[in-house]
Amino acid sequence: AVEGRESLQKLYHLLEAKGFQTRMEGVALLLDLCKSSPQLISTNIVQIFDYFVLRINDTHKRVKEKALDVLAEIIGLLEDALNPVMNCLVEGITRNLNAKDPGVHAAA
C-alpha cells in the first residue's frame, strides 16, 4: 500500500510539473503503472485522471500528442475501469479534434 501511494505521488508530481519533458515522463509512468499495477490505477482512477486529462489538453503539443497516444493504449489495458472518467476523457479528446497540428488531430 505504501509503495502504491508513493507511485501515485510521483505520478501526480510528474503530471503537474512545469517542464514539458517532466510531464511527458509522467504520461509514460502512467502507462507503465497501467501495465504493472492495473489494480492500483483502477482503484484511484478518478484522482489520476483529474491530473491526466490536463495533459490531454496540455499547452505543449508534444505532451498532448504523447498523452493521446498513451490514452489509446490505456483504454485497451483498463477497459471498464475507465467508466467513472469516460465523460472527462471524451471532452478532452473532443477538444483536440479541432487541433490545427496534424499530429495532435491524428492522435485524437
Side-chain angles (χ1 to χ4, degrees):
V2 171
E3 189 177 306
R5 255 196 320 275
E6 287 175 1
S7 294
L8 290 177
Q9 287 304 320
K10 180 178 180 182
L11 177 65
Y12 299 151
H13 175 74
L14 291 173
L15 286 174
E16 65 180 2
K18 290 215 183 300
F20 82 92
Q21 290 167 320
T22 308
R23 294 194 305 273
M24 287 180 71
E25 284 177 40
V27 171
L29 176 60
L30 176 58
L31 180 59
D32 290 345
L33 290 172
C34 287
K35 290 176 180 176
S36 65
S37 306
Q39 188 60 45
L40 174 68
I41 301 301
S42 298
T43 304
N44 298 283
I45 196 89
V46 174
Q47 300 92 314
I48 291 168
F49 275 75
D50 282 348
Y51 289 90
F52 181 68
V53 167
L54 298 174
R55 301 300 56 95
I56 291 173
N57 295 299
D58 201 280
T59 54
H60 197 284
K61 76 173 188 127
R62 285 177 47 198
V63 176
K64 187 185 304 195
E65 209 172 311
K66 172 97 172 158
L68 289 164
D69 289 340
V70 163
L71 177 59
E73 283 190 67
I74 289 173
I75 290 170
L77 294 169
L78 298 182
E79 296 173 351
D80 291 342
L82 291 171
N83 287 344
V85 295
M86 199 55 72
N87 286 344
C88 69
L89 285 177
V90 170
E91 275 180 38
I93 294 166
T94 304
R95 280 190 217 129
N96 287 301
L97 289 174
N98 295 327
K100 290 182 178 29
D101 182 88
V104 171
H105 181 82

XYZ file of all heavy atoms in Angstrom:
839
model
N 0.824 -1.200 0.000
C 0.000 0.000 0.000
C 0.867 1.262 0.000
O 0.568 2.218 -0.692
C -0.940 -0.005 1.198
N 1.933 1.231 0.789
C 2.838 2.392 0.854
C 3.500 2.604 -0.501
O 3.601 3.729 -0.987
C 3.902 2.205 1.965
C 4.963 3.286 1.890
C 3.241 2.207 3.331
N 3.935 1.503 -1.125
C 4.578 1.602 -2.438
C 3.613 2.186 -3.471
O 3.995 3.015 -4.292
C 5.040 0.208 -2.885
C 5.891 0.229 -4.123
C 6.385 -1.156 -4.496
O 6.999 -1.824 -3.638
O 6.140 -1.568 -5.647
N 2.361 1.772 -3.417
C 1.342 2.304 -4.317
C 1.136 3.792 -4.114
O 1.050 4.553 -5.076
N 1.064 4.203 -2.853
C 0.891 5.634 -2.548
C 2.069 6.440 -3.055
O 1.900 7.525 -3.613
C 0.724 5.837 -1.039
C -0.699 6.127 -0.630
C -0.839 6.695 0.762
N 0.015 6.122 1.780
C -0.259 5.020 2.474
N -1.353 4.351 2.252
N 0.573 4.589 3.400
N 3.270 5.898 -2.877
C 4.473 6.598 -3.350
C 4.466 6.706 -4.874
O 4.819 7.748 -5.423
C 5.731 5.877 -2.862
C 5.978 6.058 -1.385
C 7.157 5.239 -0.873
O 7.812 4.543 -1.661
O 7.409 5.310 0.336
N 4.058 5.634 -5.548
C 3.978 5.668 -7.015
C 2.980 6.722 -7.472
O 3.238 7.463 -8.425
C 3.547 4.304 -7.564
O 4.523 3.340 -7.319
N 1.845 6.799 -6.789
C 0.828 7.786 -7.171
C 1.325 9.209 -6.923
O 1.105 10.095 -7.750
C -0.476 7.538 -6.411
C -1.239 6.283 -6.822
C -2.470 6.111 -5.943
C -1.626 6.331 -8.291
N 2.005 9.434 -5.800
C 2.530 10.770 -5.519
C 3.544 11.187 -6.577
O 3.545 12.323 -7.039
C 3.158 10.829 -4.112
C 2.140 10.818 -2.997
C 1.117 11.931 -3.117
O 1.421 13.070 -3.469
N -0.139 11.596 -2.849
N 4.399 10.248 -6.966
C 5.386 10.538 -8.012
C 4.663 10.854 -9.324
O 5.013 11.807 -10.030
C 6.318 9.345 -8.206
C 7.364 9.561 -9.271
C 8.301 8.390 -9.419
C 9.328 8.677 -10.511
N 10.216 7.550 -10.723
N 3.643 10.069 -9.646
C 2.863 10.285 -10.869
C 2.238 11.677 -10.866
O 2.359 12.416 -11.843
C 1.780 9.213 -10.982
C 0.826 9.347 -12.172
C 1.569 9.170 -13.488
C -0.297 8.335 -12.050
N 1.578 12.040 -9.772
C 0.933 13.360 -9.689
C 1.969 14.471 -9.848
O 1.732 15.446 -10.550
C 0.197 13.534 -8.355
C -0.898 12.534 -8.117
C -1.235 12.165 -6.828
C -1.611 11.947 -9.163
C -2.258 11.252 -6.586
C -2.626 11.028 -8.924
C -2.941 10.685 -7.633
O -3.945 9.790 -7.391
N 3.106 14.310 -9.176
C 4.175 15.318 -9.241
C 4.659 15.504 -10.677
O 4.827 16.634 -11.153
C 5.322 14.901 -8.325
C 6.509 15.795 -8.393
N 6.521 17.048 -7.818
C 7.714 15.638 -9.002
C 7.686 17.624 -8.072
N 8.427 16.793 -8.785
N 4.877 14.394 -11.392
C 5.359 14.477 -12.777
C 4.302 15.073 -13.703
O 4.621 15.894 -14.568
C 5.760 13.088 -13.286
C 7.004 12.459 -12.655
C 7.170 11.026 -13.128
C 8.248 13.276 -12.945
N 3.048 14.670 -13.526
C 1.985 15.142 -14.420
C 1.701 16.631 -14.271
O 1.210 17.261 -15.197
C 0.696 14.340 -14.201
C 0.699 12.917 -14.745
C -0.576 12.200 -14.341
C 0.870 12.893 -16.262
N 2.004 17.194 -13.103
C 1.739 18.628 -12.928
C 3.007 19.477 -12.928
O 2.973 20.650 -12.574
C 0.908 18.865 -11.665
C 1.596 18.512 -10.372
C 0.732 18.752 -9.145
O -0.431 19.165 -9.298
O 1.233 18.540 -8.042
N 4.118 18.907 -13.369
C 5.395 19.627 -13.388
C 5.369 20.785 -14.380
O 4.574 20.802 -15.316
C 6.517 18.657 -13.753
N 6.259 21.736 -14.166
C 6.344 22.889 -15.063
C 6.970 22.506 -16.410
O 6.518 22.923 -17.453
C 7.173 23.999 -14.415
C 6.479 24.645 -13.236
C 6.798 26.117 -13.171
C 6.190 26.799 -11.973
N 4.755 26.731 -11.910
N 8.024 21.705 -16.391
C 8.734 21.358 -17.610
C 7.980 20.329 -18.440
O 7.487 19.341 -17.899
N 7.898 20.566 -19.744
C 7.128 19.658 -20.595
C 7.737 18.262 -20.626
O 7.020 17.269 -20.706
C 6.952 20.239 -22.013
C 8.112 20.032 -22.942
C 8.161 18.914 -23.765
C 9.155 20.939 -22.989
C 9.229 18.712 -24.630
C 10.222 20.746 -23.846
C 10.265 19.634 -24.670
N 9.072 18.156 -20.559
C 9.703 16.832 -20.593
C 9.340 16.029 -19.345
O 9.127 14.821 -19.415
C 11.216 16.969 -20.740
C 11.590 17.484 -22.116
C 13.038 17.924 -22.213
O 13.568 18.539 -21.298
N 13.663 17.618 -23.338
N 9.232 16.713 -18.225
C 8.844 16.050 -16.975
C 7.392 15.592 -17.064
O 7.053 14.494 -16.617
C 9.051 17.004 -15.777
O 10.386 17.519 -15.825
C 8.839 16.280 -14.464
N 6.528 16.411 -17.656
C 5.129 16.000 -17.830
C 5.044 14.783 -18.756
O 4.231 13.883 -18.527
C 4.283 17.159 -18.369
C 4.160 18.317 -17.383
C 3.079 19.309 -17.752
N 3.165 19.864 -19.075
C 3.876 20.942 -19.424
N 4.592 21.583 -18.521
N 3.866 21.379 -20.677
N 5.905 14.748 -19.766
C 5.932 13.583 -20.657
C 6.374 12.332 -19.894
O 5.856 11.239 -20.132
C 6.840 13.837 -21.863
C 6.194 14.812 -22.849
S 7.182 15.163 -24.303
C 7.088 13.631 -25.187
N 7.309 12.490 -18.960
C 7.719 11.366 -18.104
C 6.519 10.868 -17.297
O 6.357 9.662 -17.100
C 8.818 11.792 -17.130
C 10.184 11.942 -17.715
C 11.184 12.441 -16.664
O 11.124 11.983 -15.498
O 12.003 13.307 -17.009
N 5.703 11.797 -16.819
C 4.516 11.429 -16.063
C 3.536 10.624 -16.897
O 2.959 9.634 -16.433
N 3.357 11.021 -18.137
C 2.468 10.290 -19.054
C 3.015 8.874 -19.274
O 2.263 7.892 -19.231
C 2.315 11.061 -20.388
C 1.594 10.219 -21.427
C 1.582 12.383 -20.154
N 4.325 8.762 -19.462
C 4.953 7.446 -19.652
C 4.825 6.599 -18.387
O 4.561 5.391 -18.464
C 6.424 7.616 -20.036
N 4.983 7.223 -17.223
C 4.841 6.497 -15.957
C 3.420 5.969 -15.796
O 3.223 4.841 -15.347
C 5.214 7.397 -14.769
C 5.019 6.771 -13.386
C 5.861 5.501 -13.224
C 5.345 7.781 -12.289
N 2.437 6.763 -16.178
C 1.053 6.296 -16.089
C 0.866 5.030 -16.923
O 0.262 4.062 -16.461
C 0.071 7.382 -16.526
C -1.395 6.957 -16.559
C -1.863 6.459 -15.198
C -2.266 8.111 -17.040
N 1.395 5.022 -18.126
C 1.280 3.835 -18.963
C 1.961 2.638 -18.300
O 1.404 1.536 -18.256
C 1.871 4.089 -20.350
C 1.810 2.913 -21.321
C 0.369 2.449 -21.552
C 2.464 3.299 -22.644
N 3.159 2.856 -17.758
C 3.868 1.774 -17.063
C 3.053 1.235 -15.899
O 2.963 0.025 -15.695
C 5.237 2.258 -16.545
C 6.231 2.517 -17.659
O 5.992 2.063 -18.800
O 7.249 3.187 -17.386
N 2.457 2.134 -15.118
C 1.651 1.710 -13.970
C 0.392 0.962 -14.414
O -0.038 0.029 -13.750
C 1.277 2.906 -13.093
C 2.422 3.535 -12.305
C 1.961 4.825 -11.626
C 2.966 2.555 -11.268
N -0.184 1.376 -15.533
C -1.358 0.669 -16.060
C -0.998 -0.766 -16.425
O -1.805 -1.679 -16.257
C -1.933 1.385 -17.281
S -2.801 2.900 -16.893
N 0.224 -0.954 -16.906
C 0.675 -2.295 -17.289
C 1.078 -3.122 -16.069
O 0.748 -4.302 -15.983
C 1.865 -2.194 -18.252
C 1.496 -1.668 -19.615
C 2.729 -1.504 -20.494
C 2.354 -0.980 -21.873
N 3.554 -0.722 -22.691
N 1.803 -2.493 -15.128
C 2.359 -3.238 -13.997
C 1.425 -3.310 -12.789
O 1.483 -4.261 -12.025
C 3.703 -2.640 -13.576
O 3.522 -1.321 -13.082
N 0.579 -2.298 -12.610
C -0.297 -2.235 -11.426
C -1.700 -1.762 -11.813
O -2.179 -0.737 -11.307
C 0.280 -1.261 -10.399
O 1.604 -1.570 -10.084
N -2.383 -2.497 -12.697
C -3.703 -2.025 -13.140
C -4.704 -1.849 -12.000
O -5.547 -0.959 -12.049
C -4.163 -3.097 -14.130
C -3.306 -4.286 -13.860
C -2.033 -3.777 -13.271
N -4.563 -2.656 -10.957
C -5.481 -2.542 -9.815
C -5.289 -1.211 -9.088
O -6.251 -0.568 -8.694
C -5.281 -3.721 -8.850
C -6.319 -3.791 -7.748
C -7.737 -3.948 -8.285
O -7.983 -4.751 -9.171
N -8.666 -3.170 -7.760
N -4.042 -0.792 -8.924
C -3.734 0.495 -8.290
C -4.366 1.632 -9.088
O -4.989 2.540 -8.528
C -2.216 0.698 -8.193
C -1.750 2.058 -7.678
C -2.102 2.221 -6.209
C -0.244 2.218 -7.900
N -4.222 1.587 -10.392
C -4.772 2.631 -11.255
C -6.300 2.591 -11.204
O -6.954 3.622 -11.041
C -4.270 2.468 -12.705
C -2.740 2.534 -12.766
C -4.906 3.514 -13.619
C -2.128 3.805 -12.236
N -6.881 1.411 -11.311
C -8.343 1.278 -11.300
C -8.943 1.815 -10.005
O -9.969 2.491 -10.021
C -8.750 -0.188 -11.469
O -8.310 -0.670 -12.709
N -8.288 1.522 -8.889
C -8.779 1.951 -7.588
C -8.736 3.473 -7.438
O -9.562 4.051 -6.751
C -7.933 1.296 -6.465
O -7.965 -0.112 -6.647
C -8.452 1.637 -5.092
N -7.781 4.112 -8.083
C -7.579 5.562 -7.939
C -7.857 6.314 -9.239
O -7.336 7.407 -9.456
C -6.135 5.824 -7.489
C -5.841 5.208 -6.156
O -6.232 5.724 -5.125
N -5.162 4.072 -6.163
N -8.683 5.745 -10.091
C -8.864 6.247 -11.461
C -9.313 7.707 -11.520
O -8.810 8.479 -12.321
C -9.808 5.316 -12.263
C -9.699 5.599 -13.757
C -11.243 5.422 -11.810
C -8.652 4.824 -14.435
N -10.245 8.095 -10.674
C -10.782 9.463 -10.746
C -9.700 10.478 -10.401
O -9.498 11.458 -11.129
C -12.023 9.624 -9.838
C -12.484 11.073 -9.795
C -13.149 8.721 -10.339
N -8.966 10.243 -9.304
C -7.905 11.177 -8.911
C -6.812 11.236 -9.979
O -6.328 12.311 -10.327
C -7.263 10.758 -7.578
C -8.217 10.703 -6.423
C -8.837 9.307 -6.242
O -9.280 8.680 -7.200
N -8.906 8.843 -5.017
N -6.421 10.086 -10.501
C -5.354 10.033 -11.506
C -5.768 10.793 -12.760
O -5.005 11.593 -13.299
C -5.005 8.571 -11.845
C -4.332 7.908 -10.647
C -4.121 8.487 -13.088
C -4.210 6.403 -10.752
N -6.993 10.580 -13.204
C -7.421 11.212 -14.446
C -7.737 12.691 -14.283
O -7.761 13.426 -15.260
C -8.550 10.413 -15.100
C -8.008 9.298 -15.944
C -7.499 8.151 -15.370
C -7.933 9.431 -17.316
C -6.949 7.145 -16.142
C -7.386 8.425 -18.106
C -6.893 7.277 -17.510
N -7.926 13.155 -13.041
C -8.005 14.605 -12.815
C -6.704 15.255 -13.279
O -6.703 16.346 -13.840
C -8.243 14.924 -11.341
C -9.687 14.711 -10.925
O -10.559 14.534 -11.798
O -9.949 14.717 -9.697
N -5.590 14.587 -13.060
C -4.282 15.089 -13.491
C -4.042 14.787 -14.970
O -3.552 15.630 -15.708
C -3.154 14.440 -12.670
C -3.077 14.904 -11.246
C -3.774 14.253 -10.241
C -2.289 15.993 -10.895
C -3.692 14.671 -8.920
C -2.198 16.422 -9.577
C -2.910 15.753 -8.600
O -2.825 16.175 -7.298
N -4.371 13.568 -15.375
C -4.048 13.134 -16.734
C -4.824 13.910 -17.801
O -4.280 14.223 -18.857
C -4.292 11.625 -16.877
C -3.947 11.103 -18.242
C -2.633 11.078 -18.680
C -4.928 10.649 -19.098
C -2.299 10.602 -19.943
C -4.608 10.172 -20.362
C -3.292 10.151 -20.779
N -6.077 14.229 -17.543
C -6.885 14.964 -18.532
C -6.242 16.320 -18.849
O -6.317 16.794 -19.979
C -8.339 15.118 -18.043
C -9.106 16.130 -18.867
C -9.037 13.758 -18.103
N -5.570 16.894 -17.870
C -4.868 18.164 -18.117
C -3.780 17.976 -19.172
O -3.489 18.880 -19.946
C -4.253 18.693 -16.821
C -5.237 19.031 -15.710
C -4.493 19.395 -14.437
C -6.185 20.143 -16.134
N -3.164 16.808 -19.219
C -2.114 16.539 -20.213
C -2.704 16.307 -21.596
O -2.063 16.599 -22.595
C -1.257 15.342 -19.797
C -0.557 15.510 -18.448
C 0.425 16.674 -18.304
N -0.006 18.008 -18.565
C -0.441 18.903 -17.649
N -0.528 18.570 -16.382
N -0.784 20.121 -18.007
N -3.926 15.805 -21.666
C -4.588 15.641 -22.959
C -4.822 17.017 -23.592
O -4.852 17.151 -24.802
C -5.922 14.876 -22.796
C -5.630 13.434 -22.407
C -6.759 14.917 -24.068
C -6.862 12.636 -22.049
N -4.951 18.019 -22.756
C -5.168 19.391 -23.234
C -3.964 20.278 -22.919
O -4.103 21.480 -22.746
C -6.438 19.957 -22.599
C -7.648 19.198 -23.068
O -7.947 19.170 -24.245
N -8.327 18.537 -22.148
N -2.793 19.685 -22.844
C -1.567 20.407 -22.490
C -1.288 21.526 -23.496
O -1.651 21.422 -24.673
C -0.394 19.429 -22.468
C 0.771 19.931 -21.643
O 1.550 20.771 -22.146
O 0.893 19.491 -20.494
N -0.632 22.565 -23.030
C -0.266 23.671 -23.917
C 0.883 23.279 -24.847
O 1.059 23.889 -25.888
C 0.157 24.908 -23.099
O 1.194 24.528 -22.191
C -1.021 25.478 -22.335
N 1.652 22.281 -24.480
C 2.775 21.829 -25.311
C 2.299 20.678 -26.185
O 1.841 19.650 -25.693
C 3.935 21.390 -24.406
C 5.225 21.297 -25.133
N 5.524 20.254 -25.976
C 6.298 22.122 -25.154
C 6.723 20.435 -26.478
N 7.216 21.561 -25.997
N 2.427 20.829 -27.495
C 1.843 19.840 -28.413
C 2.463 18.455 -28.273
O 1.793 17.453 -28.451
C 1.880 20.326 -29.855
C 3.220 20.251 -30.521
C 3.118 20.604 -31.992
C 4.437 20.337 -32.646
N 4.410 19.523 -33.784
N 3.751 18.357 -27.921
C 4.365 17.034 -27.770
C 3.783 16.282 -26.577
O 3.586 15.068 -26.641
C 5.884 17.161 -27.642
C 6.517 17.466 -29.006
C 8.006 17.687 -28.999
N 8.782 16.711 -28.273
C 10.036 16.939 -27.869
N 10.625 18.091 -28.135
N 10.702 16.018 -27.221
N 3.505 17.003 -25.491
C 2.897 16.373 -24.317
C 1.483 15.915 -24.669
O 1.074 14.793 -24.356
C 2.860 17.341 -23.107
C 2.135 16.708 -21.923
C 4.271 17.760 -22.718
N 0.753 16.796 -25.322
C -0.630 16.488 -25.719
C -0.670 15.260 -26.624
O -1.467 14.343 -26.415
C -1.212 17.710 -26.432
C -2.672 17.623 -26.747
C -3.150 18.810 -27.560
C -2.870 20.131 -26.918
N -3.618 21.232 -27.526
N 0.203 15.230 -27.611
C 0.252 14.117 -28.553
C 0.609 12.802 -27.838
O -0.022 11.773 -28.048
C 1.301 14.423 -29.628
C 1.018 13.803 -30.957
C 1.995 14.300 -32.032
O 2.195 15.524 -32.163
O 2.539 13.435 -32.719
N 1.604 12.868 -26.962
C 2.018 11.680 -26.193
C 0.863 11.201 -25.305
O 0.588 10.005 -25.239
C 3.240 12.023 -25.335
C 3.671 10.962 -24.363
C 4.767 10.142 -24.929
C 5.322 9.203 -23.864
N 5.986 8.078 -24.466
N 0.175 12.128 -24.649
C -0.935 11.760 -23.766
C -2.053 11.088 -24.557
O -2.624 10.089 -24.104
C -1.459 12.995 -23.040
N -2.358 11.604 -25.731
C -3.405 10.994 -26.557
C -2.988 9.605 -27.042
O -3.806 8.677 -27.055
C -3.753 11.908 -27.738
C -4.519 13.181 -27.376
C -4.463 14.179 -28.516
C -5.944 12.869 -26.983
N -1.725 9.447 -27.422
C -1.234 8.133 -27.844
C -1.278 7.126 -26.697
O -1.698 5.978 -26.865
C 0.196 8.233 -28.392
C 0.265 8.925 -29.743
O -0.772 9.004 -30.439
O 1.364 9.385 -30.109
N -0.849 7.573 -25.521
C -0.854 6.708 -24.338
C -2.294 6.354 -23.958
O -2.576 5.216 -23.579
C -0.092 7.388 -23.171
C -0.420 6.755 -21.837
C 1.409 7.323 -23.431
N -3.187 7.315 -24.083
C -4.589 7.053 -23.765
C -5.142 5.900 -24.601
O -5.879 5.051 -24.091
C -5.435 8.312 -23.956
C -6.936 8.145 -23.710
C -7.203 7.664 -22.291
C -7.658 9.446 -23.987
N -4.765 5.853 -25.870
C -5.233 4.765 -26.733
C -4.796 3.412 -26.171
O -5.570 2.450 -26.181
C -4.697 4.961 -28.152
N -3.572 3.343 -25.646
C -3.093 2.091 -25.047
C -3.797 1.810 -23.725
O -4.152 0.667 -23.434
C -1.580 2.153 -24.806
C -0.758 1.954 -26.055
C 0.718 1.789 -25.715
O 1.084 0.772 -25.091
O 1.492 2.689 -26.079
N -3.993 2.866 -22.925
C -4.626 2.700 -21.615
C -6.050 2.160 -21.769
O -6.476 1.309 -20.991
C -4.633 4.049 -20.849
C -3.210 4.407 -20.408
C -5.576 3.988 -19.646
C -3.092 5.791 -19.798
N -6.751 2.626 -22.767
C -8.131 2.158 -22.988
C -8.144 0.645 -23.168
O -8.982 -0.054 -22.592
C -8.774 2.886 -24.189
C -9.038 4.342 -23.823
C -10.068 2.189 -24.623
C -9.439 5.228 -24.986
N -7.180 0.128 -23.921
C -7.089 -1.317 -24.109
C -6.715 -2.070 -22.844
O -7.130 -3.206 -22.638
N -5.943 -1.424 -21.976
C -5.487 -2.081 -20.750
C -6.539 -2.043 -19.641
O -6.707 -3.020 -18.912
C -4.207 -1.400 -20.233
C -2.962 -1.536 -21.105
C -1.872 -0.595 -20.624
C -2.463 -2.978 -21.083
N -7.233 -0.924 -19.502
C -8.128 -0.747 -18.347
C -9.604 -0.982 -18.657
O -10.378 -1.251 -17.747
C -7.952 0.654 -17.746
C -6.573 0.976 -17.197
C -6.568 2.372 -16.593
C -6.115 -0.041 -16.163
N -9.989 -0.817 -19.898
C -11.360 -1.046 -20.365
C -12.425 -0.504 -19.410
O -12.575 0.682 -19.273
C -11.578 -2.537 -20.654
C -10.701 -3.028 -21.797
C -10.769 -4.524 -22.003
O -11.354 -5.235 -21.162
O -10.240 -4.989 -23.019
N -13.160 -1.399 -18.721
C -14.296 -0.984 -17.888
C -13.907 -0.109 -16.702
O -14.743 0.629 -16.182
C -15.069 -2.209 -17.377
C -15.800 -2.921 -18.509
O -15.998 -2.303 -19.576
O -16.165 -4.091 -18.318
N -12.671 -0.189 -16.262
C -12.230 0.636 -15.136
C -12.290 2.124 -15.476
O -12.318 2.973 -14.590
C -10.813 0.252 -14.712
N -12.347 2.441 -16.779
C -12.387 3.843 -17.211
C -13.793 4.453 -17.139
O -13.944 5.659 -17.326
C -11.852 3.971 -18.642
C -10.364 3.725 -18.802
C -9.995 3.661 -20.272
C -9.550 4.803 -18.106
N -14.801 3.653 -16.886
C -16.178 4.164 -16.868
C -16.362 5.427 -16.028
O -17.012 6.365 -16.491
C -17.161 3.078 -16.422
C -17.364 2.031 -17.501
O -17.015 2.245 -18.663
N -17.893 0.882 -17.112
N -15.798 5.510 -14.805
C -16.012 6.724 -13.997
C -15.417 7.999 -14.597
O -15.808 9.096 -14.213
C -15.336 6.407 -12.660
C -15.132 4.937 -12.640
C -15.061 4.492 -14.075
N -14.470 7.867 -15.517
C -13.800 9.055 -16.073
C -14.091 9.245 -17.559
O -13.502 10.103 -18.206
C -12.265 8.994 -15.840
C -11.952 9.066 -14.356
C -11.654 7.763 -16.464
N -15.007 8.468 -18.087
C -15.271 8.499 -19.528
C -15.721 9.884 -20.013
O -15.260 10.351 -21.049
C -16.318 7.438 -19.886
C -16.318 7.092 -21.343
S -14.716 6.576 -21.996
C -14.525 4.973 -21.275
N -16.597 10.549 -19.264
C -17.075 11.871 -19.702
C -15.945 12.873 -19.844
O -15.861 13.582 -20.850
C -18.142 12.411 -18.743
C -19.460 11.701 -18.913
O -19.697 11.022 -19.908
N -20.328 11.841 -17.924
N -15.061 12.941 -18.855
C -13.967 13.922 -18.943
C -12.987 13.539 -20.050
O -12.417 14.420 -20.696
C -13.275 14.125 -17.602
S -12.321 12.738 -16.995
N -12.817 12.253 -20.314
C -11.941 11.834 -21.410
C -12.521 12.231 -22.758
O -11.810 12.747 -23.618
C -11.729 10.322 -21.380
C -10.795 9.799 -20.305
C -10.739 8.281 -20.346
C -9.409 10.391 -20.475
N -13.803 12.000 -22.937
C -14.454 12.352 -24.205
C -14.346 13.855 -24.440
O -14.035 14.303 -25.546
C -15.915 11.859 -24.234
C -16.664 12.428 -25.424
C -15.952 10.340 -24.262
N -14.577 14.651 -23.394
C -14.444 16.108 -23.517
C -13.031 16.488 -23.950
O -12.840 17.305 -24.848
C -14.730 16.786 -22.178
C -16.178 17.051 -21.916
C -16.357 17.728 -20.563
O -15.513 18.579 -20.185
O -17.350 17.408 -19.901
N -12.024 15.890 -23.280
C -10.631 16.211 -23.591
C -10.254 15.832 -25.013
O -9.583 16.586 -25.715
N -10.707 14.669 -25.442
C -10.401 14.210 -26.805
C -11.108 15.094 -27.821
O -10.518 15.497 -28.829
C -10.817 12.732 -26.973
C -9.939 11.847 -26.087
C -10.704 12.306 -28.428
C -10.468 10.440 -25.903
N -12.352 15.412 -27.559
C -13.141 16.226 -28.489
C -12.494 17.582 -28.734
O -12.460 18.065 -29.866
C -14.577 16.403 -27.951
O -15.137 15.112 -27.737
C -15.441 17.176 -28.923
N -11.952 18.184 -27.686
C -11.287 19.480 -27.845
C -10.124 19.399 -28.820
O -9.792 20.378 -29.484
C -10.772 19.982 -26.498
C -11.840 20.613 -25.672
C -11.253 21.321 -24.467
N -12.180 21.129 -23.370
C -11.884 20.688 -22.173
N -10.636 20.433 -21.864
N -12.792 20.521 -21.265
N -9.512 18.242 -28.910
C -8.343 18.074 -29.779
C -8.702 17.722 -31.220
O -7.846 17.748 -32.089
C -7.407 17.014 -29.204
C -6.681 17.534 -27.989
O -5.972 18.527 -28.067
N -6.881 16.894 -26.860
N -9.950 17.401 -31.474
C -10.348 17.069 -32.844
C -10.257 18.280 -33.770
O -10.128 18.130 -34.974
C -11.766 16.493 -32.868
C -11.898 15.087 -32.278
C -13.354 14.676 -32.227
C -11.085 14.086 -33.075
N -10.306 19.464 -33.189
C -10.192 20.692 -33.975
C -8.769 21.232 -33.999
O -8.543 22.347 -34.486
C -11.121 21.770 -33.396
C -12.568 21.379 -33.516
O -12.964 20.711 -34.477
N -13.381 21.763 -32.554
N -7.816 20.467 -33.501
C -6.430 20.936 -33.438
C -5.875 21.203 -34.829
O -6.131 20.442 -35.765
C -5.563 19.907 -32.716
N -5.133 22.286 -34.948
C -4.507 22.622 -36.224
C -3.292 21.734 -36.471
O -2.934 21.462 -37.603
C -4.092 24.092 -36.221
C -5.291 25.023 -36.271
C -4.861 26.470 -36.319
C -5.989 27.457 -36.424
N -7.247 27.114 -35.860
N -2.646 21.273 -35.397
C -1.477 20.411 -35.548
C -1.919 19.026 -36.021
O -2.729 18.378 -35.373
C -0.760 20.306 -34.198
C 0.493 19.466 -34.307
O 1.565 20.019 -34.620
O 0.390 18.240 -34.095
N -1.389 18.558 -37.156
C -1.832 17.264 -37.699
C -1.547 16.088 -36.771
O -2.330 15.134 -36.717
C -1.063 17.125 -39.013
C -0.064 18.228 -39.050
C -0.415 19.227 -37.987
N -0.444 16.125 -36.024
C -0.118 15.035 -35.101
C -1.117 14.933 -33.966
O -1.542 13.847 -33.586
N -1.495 16.076 -33.413
C -2.476 16.101 -32.318
C -3.834 15.663 -32.853
O -4.518 14.842 -32.249
C -2.561 17.519 -31.678
C -3.724 17.601 -30.711
C -1.242 17.860 -31.002
N -4.212 16.185 -33.984
C -5.515 15.823 -34.571
C -5.578 14.324 -34.835
O -6.575 13.666 -34.520
C -5.751 16.602 -35.869
C -7.057 16.296 -36.515
N -8.229 16.895 -36.105
C -7.392 15.435 -37.498
C -9.236 16.398 -36.841
N -8.748 15.517 -37.690
N -4.518 13.762 -35.406
C -4.495 12.318 -35.713
C -4.548 11.488 -34.435
O -5.236 10.476 -34.384
C -3.244 11.982 -36.513
N -3.848 11.930 -33.390
C -3.859 11.193 -32.132
C -5.236 11.226 -31.485
O -5.666 10.247 -30.882
C -2.804 11.770 -31.173
N -5.925 12.358 -31.624
C -7.290 12.462 -31.063
C -8.215 11.542 -31.798
O -9.095 10.939 -31.248
C -7.774 13.906 -31.142
